Amino acid sequence: MLVPDFSPFQLSEARYIAYGVMSGALLLPRWRSVAGRIPVKGWGGLFCLGVIGNIAYYVLVGAAVRLTGIATTAITTGFLPVLIAVFGMREPGALQARTLWPSLLLMIIGITLTGMAAFGHAAGGTSDWVHRAEGMACAAAGQGSWTGFAILNARWMRRLPDVGAGEWGLATGVATGLLGLAGLPFAGFGSGMHATSCWLGFIGVSTGVAVIASVLGGTFWNACSRRLPMTLSGQMAVGETLFALLYGCLWSDHGLSGVQIVAVILLIGSVAISAVAHRHL
C-alpha cells in the first residue's frame, strides 16, 4: 500500500535480494562454521523454503492486499494458525484434535464471521466482487504456501540441532537472495518510468521489510519453532493477523468494525486456550 507503483513481484524481488545481502553480510564472519554444519540436502531444503515461505508467499499476499485490502487479507491469512496446528498434529510433541478442537473452533468461527462481513460490505458491482474473490484466492494460496514452509522449516531445524535458529534464518536469507537474483530479469524493472521519490520509497520499504520481517522476524519465528510443539507454535502465527489488522487501521485511519473486534477476541482467546492445553508438555 505504501508503494502502489510497483508490482507484488517487484516488491518480493527487492525485499529478498536485500534480505540475502544482509544475511550474507551477517553470516560472513562464521560462514565456514555454519556452512560446514549444513549438509548438501540441507541447502536444497533452504532453497525450497525460500521459494514457498518467502517469495511465493509474499507475492501472493501482496497481490491479495492490492485486490481486497489489508483487513480482508489479514483475516483470510488468519487461517494459518489453524492449518499449521492441524497439519502439525503428526509432529513430535503435538497435541491431538480432541484436545485442540475448542481452540481451533473459536479461531475458525472468528475468521469466518469476519470474512463474511468483508464480503457483506463489498459494493454491489460485479467487478468489485471479482477483485475480492481473486484477492481471497491469492491469500488462500499464500496460506497453503506458508503452512508448508512452517512445517518443513521446523522439521529441518530438528534434523540440524547444531545449527542455531538465527544461523538457520540467515542461511535461509542467503538462499532466498540467490533466488531473488535469479528472478531479477523477469521483474520488469526497466519497463516503467518512476520518479526519484518513488524509487526512494520503494527501496526504503523493501529494505525495512527485509530487516524487520525477514531478518528479525525470521529469527524469532525459528526460535519459537524450535522451543514449542508445532500445534502451539503454529497458533503463534495469529500475531500476523492481529498486527496486520492494527497496521491496516493505522494506515486507513479508522478503527475495527464490531465484527472484527469480535474476531480479534476470538483469535486471542483461541490461542490462550491452546496455550493452557499445552501447559503440561
Side-chain angles (χ1 to χ4, degrees):
M1 300 298 285
L2 287 168
V3 282
D5 294 327
F6 295 87
S7 72
F9 185 61
Q10 289 173 329
L11 285 167
S12 176
E13 283 290 292
R15 168 185 174 174
Y16 290 118
I17 289 173
Y19 179 27
V21 170
M22 293 175 202
S23 297
L26 292 171
L27 205 55
L28 189 59
R30 42 191 165 145
W31 174 258
R32 287 181 176 272
S33 172
V34 175
R37 285 177 272 139
I38 301 177
V40 174
K41 287 185 177 180
W43 283 102
L46 285 168
F47 280 102
C48 177
L49 293 172
V51 172
I52 65 172
N54 290 329
I55 294 175
Y57 177 69
Y58 193 49
V59 170
L60 289 165
V61 170
V65 169
R66 292 283 175 84
L67 290 166
T68 195
I70 297 173
T72 303
T73 302
I75 291 299
T76 306
T77 56
F79 277 106
L80 272 172
V82 178
L83 294 174
I84 297 172
V86 169
F87 285 102
M89 288 178 186
R90 296 184 178 182
E91 303 298 310
L95 295 182
Q96 298 307 305
R98 64 179 179 275
T99 307
L100 286 176
W101 73 262
S103 169
L104 298 181
L105 183 61
L106 279 181
M107 194 169 287
I108 290 170
I109 292 172
I111 295 166
T112 302
L113 285 175
T114 310
M116 292 170 62
F119 269 97
H121 286 102
T126 303
S127 166
D128 191 60
W129 276 89
V130 169
H131 284 163
R132 284 178 177 270
E134 290 175 346
M136 294 190 77
C138 288
Q143 286 181 49
S145 179
W146 212 85
T147 299
F149 166 82
I151 294 172
L152 292 175
N153 187 58
R155 288 178 179 176
W156 271 112
M157 286 197 295
R158 282 200 304 272
R159 293 177 195 171
L160 303 172
D162 294 336
V163 180
E167 293 172 333
W168 183 253
L170 294 176
T172 305
V174 171
T176 306
L178 291 173
L179 289 168
L181 286 174
L184 194 57
F186 308 100
F189 282 112
S191 60
M193 298 295 292
H194 300 288
T196 302
S197 59
C198 291
W199 279 110
L200 292 175
F202 174 70
I203 294 171
V205 168
S206 300
T207 304
V209 174
V211 172
I212 297 170
S214 295
V215 177
L216 295 179
T219 298
F220 289 138
W221 175 257
N222 287 340
C224 171
S225 297
R226 177 156 279 176
R227 288 167 172 77
L228 300 177
M230 183 62 70
T231 43
L232 182 56
S233 66
Q235 295 199 46
M236 295 300 104
V238 74
E240 179 175 6
T241 302
L242 298 177
F243 280 108
L245 283 173
L246 171 63
Y247 300 151
C249 288
L250 293 174
W251 170 254
S252 58
D253 197 27
H254 67 72
L256 296 174
S257 67
V259 175
Q260 287 174 329
I261 291 173
V262 171
V264 167
I265 293 172
L266 290 174
L267 289 171
I268 294 174
S270 69
V271 175
I273 291 172
S274 178
V276 171
H278 286 83
R279 68 188 182 280
H280 296 307
L281 292 181

